[in-house]
DNA sequence: ACCCAGGTGCTGC
DNA sequence: GCAGCACATGGG
């Protein structure tokens, strides 16, 4: 058991944040089961931001989970740096500023976010879990049974048709091809960490089914590149609604009325001041938007 | 029946 | 460079 008392992230908020897909809330509402790579971790937290209990050894904590939850970063400083004249961001940080950006396994993040495209989060969770059941190794500890995240070897060995029946749709081909490509030219996670943002993004985009948005998710949630800023439909909704100019909103109908480069411009204008934490801010406004849309948006 | 989801790749200009 | 389109599957 490891107990953290100071500067604790919001574990429930992380569970619902959409940056990972294999974390589950138990029926007691305060215990969470997290599956990452081949590992299982039980975490308990009575209230958001309160004391955290990790069910693991000190070695496992120091070696893996501490970095995984990004506990070495001063999140309070980031919250305090927020522009008080920005009402949306101020509200988002008040509601979701306890969410830390995770450092997940790169391969797992690649496949998870290839699956994520054109899917809602509950559906992504089911697909990732089904993939683990088919190709992952089986494990158990004293209170849990689970499947580890499958290796590239396992997926490639299944062949092009090995992914059928998992509701992956057109992403089947992307996943199989990426597994084969990864065996051919995949690099170690540490090598990716040491690359420049641009080179790392270019490398990731060389895989089938990984484009600009998914690459940014991998860099943010898997490589610790905290200035990566994935632009998805929810972020577009936010930027259009909260930050676009009234004139330009007059001309067009909705989020698709603005070009991708215009969105990049808006991000530059309002978020570049948070250098080193731009992606963390992205995660906070994304999670805040999800939370607000808890029932039938539009 | 219709629209949408943490998009990507391909075509044609 | 950018717009337009096909690509599966499930939910509202």
């Amino acid at each position: 058991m490891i107990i953290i008392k100071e500067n604790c992230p919001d574990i429930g908020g992380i569970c619902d944040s959409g940056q990972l897909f294999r974390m589950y809330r138990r029926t007691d509402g305060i215990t969470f089961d997290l599956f990452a790579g081949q590992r299982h971790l039980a975490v308990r937290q009575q209230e958001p931001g309160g004391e955290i209990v990790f069910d693991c050894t000190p070695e496992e904590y120091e070696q893996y989970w501490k970095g995984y939850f990004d506990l070495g970063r001063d999140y309070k400083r980031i919250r305090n740096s927020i522009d008080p004249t920005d009402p949306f961001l101020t509200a988002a940080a008040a509601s979701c500023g306890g969410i830390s950006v995770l450092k997940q396994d790169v391969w797992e993040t690649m496949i998870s976010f290839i699956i994520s495209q054109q899917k809602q989060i509950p559906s992504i969770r089911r697909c990732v879990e089904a993939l683990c059941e088919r190709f992952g190794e089986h494990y158990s500890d004293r209170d849990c049974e689970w499947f580890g995240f499958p290796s590239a070897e396992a997926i490639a060995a299944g062949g092009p048709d090995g992914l059928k029946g998992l509701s992956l749709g057109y992403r089947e081909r992307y996943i199989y091809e990426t597994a084969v490509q990864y065996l051919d030219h995949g690099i170690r996670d540490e090598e990716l960490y040491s690359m420049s943002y641009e080179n790392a993004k270019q490398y990731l985009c060389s895989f089938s089914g990984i484009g600009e948005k998914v690459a940014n998710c991998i860099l943010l949630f898997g490589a610790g590149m905290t200035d990566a800023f994935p632009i998805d439909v929810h972020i577009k909704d936010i930027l259009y609604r909260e930050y676009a100019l009234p004139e330009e909103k007059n001309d067009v109908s909705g989020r698709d009325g603005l070009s991708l480069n215009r969105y990049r411009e808006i991000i530059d204008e309002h978020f570049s001041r948070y250098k080193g934490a731009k992606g963390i801010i992205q995660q906070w406004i994304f999670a805040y938007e999800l939370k607000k849309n808890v029932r039938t948006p539009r």
Side-chain angles (χ1 to χ4, degrees):
Chain A
M1 294 287 216
I2 295 289
I3 300 178
I4 309 297
K5 302 193 175 191
E6 305 278 303
N7 303 317
C8 299
D10 172 4
I11 298 297
I14 290 172
C15 179
D16 301 332
S17 70
Q19 51 179 322
L20 79 178
F21 304 107
R22 298 190 74 200
M23 186 167 180
Y24 304 92
R25 197 184 309 256
R26 288 193 194 166
T27 48
D28 66 8
I30 60 166
T31 310
F32 300 83
D33 289 298
L34 164 56
F35 305 97
Q38 310 306 306
R39 303 164 197 259
H40 162 243
L41 177 72
V43 194
R44 195 160 58 252
Q45 184 177 47
Q46 300 279 348
E47 73 244 24
E51 186 176 292
I52 298 173
V53 180
F54 290 104
D55 187 10
C56 69
T57 66
E59 292 74 26
E60 290 168 330
Y61 174 73
E62 282 300 328
Q63 247 189 49
Y64 195 74
W65 298 114
K66 183 179 177 183
Y68 181 93
F69 283 100
D70 200 23
L71 298 182
R73 193 185 307 274
D74 186 355
Y75 278 80
K76 189 178 289 178
R77 195 185 58 72
I78 300 171
R79 286 190 293 273
N80 289 339
S81 76
I82 282 175
D83 177 3
T85 69
D86 183 332
F88 182 76
L89 187 46
T90 300
S95 173
C96 299
I99 295 174
S100 63
V101 163
L102 306 177
K103 192 162 187 171
Q104 304 178 73
D105 177 78
V106 173
W107 162 251
E108 178 167 351
T109 314
M110 286 169 67
I111 296 302
S112 298
F113 279 90
I114 287 174
I115 292 173
S116 79
Q117 60 186 261
Q118 296 291 111
K119 269 186 177 301
Q120 298 183 113
I121 290 172
S123 172
I124 302 167
R125 289 177 174 275
R126 286 193 294 271
C127 284
V128 172
E129 204 59 50
L131 184 70
C132 293
E133 279 175 35
R134 179 166 300 181
F135 291 108
E137 292 185 48
H138 188 257
Y139 298 92
S140 60
D141 59 23
R142 69 180 182 289
D143 61 349
C144 198
E145 283 188 47
W146 72 97
F147 290 92
F149 196 85
S151 65
E153 286 86 347
I155 292 174
D161 294 331
L163 293 156
K164 293 205 174 303
L166 301 178
S167 295
L168 293 166
Y170 66 87
R171 304 161 198 78
E172 265 178 31
R173 184 170 64 83
Y174 294 158
I175 295 166
Y176 172 72
E177 288 175 356
T178 286
V180 173
Q181 291 174 322
Y182 190 80
L183 291 179
D184 177 50
H185 70 273
I187 61 175
R188 298 168 155 282
D189 289 8
E190 288 72 19
E191 280 183 75
L192 186 67
Y193 304 160
S194 71
M195 290 167 75
S196 71
Y197 167 78
E198 286 300 334
N199 285 342
K201 193 171 73 176
Q202 196 175 12
Y203 158 74
L204 290 171
C205 286
S206 74
F207 291 91
S208 178
I210 299 181
E212 177 84 16
K213 188 267 171 185
V214 168
N216 275 302
C217 286
I218 298 162
L219 293 174
L220 182 56
F221 306 135
M225 295 203 183
T226 50
D227 280 326
F229 201 106
I231 304 173
D232 77 318
V233 292
H234 300 292
I235 291 294
K236 284 182 181 175
D237 279 338
I238 294 168
L239 297 178
Y240 179 83
R241 193 184 64 233
E242 307 288 341
Y243 297 97
L245 301 170
E247 306 91 272
E248 63 189 343
K249 289 166 86 167
N250 255 335
D251 299 341
V252 298
S253 48
R255 72 158 103 96
D256 290 328
L258 301 186
S259 70
L260 186 56
N261 269 328
R262 177 57 187 139
Y263 282 116
R264 292 188 182 120
E265 208 174 277
I266 293 175
I267 291 163
D268 205 48
E269 186 185 341
H270 292 275
F271 300 98
S272 61
R273 57 180 277 163
Y274 307 107
K275 198 172 300 255
K278 226 169 85 183
I280 295 170
I281 302 283
Q282 190 275 4
Q283 186 53 31
W284 290 351
I285 63 175
F286 176 85
Y288 184 56
E289 185 76 0
L290 275 195
K291 200 188 265 194
K292 294 201 312 175
N293 290 351
V294 280
R295 220 61 204 143
T296 62
R298 252 174 283 283

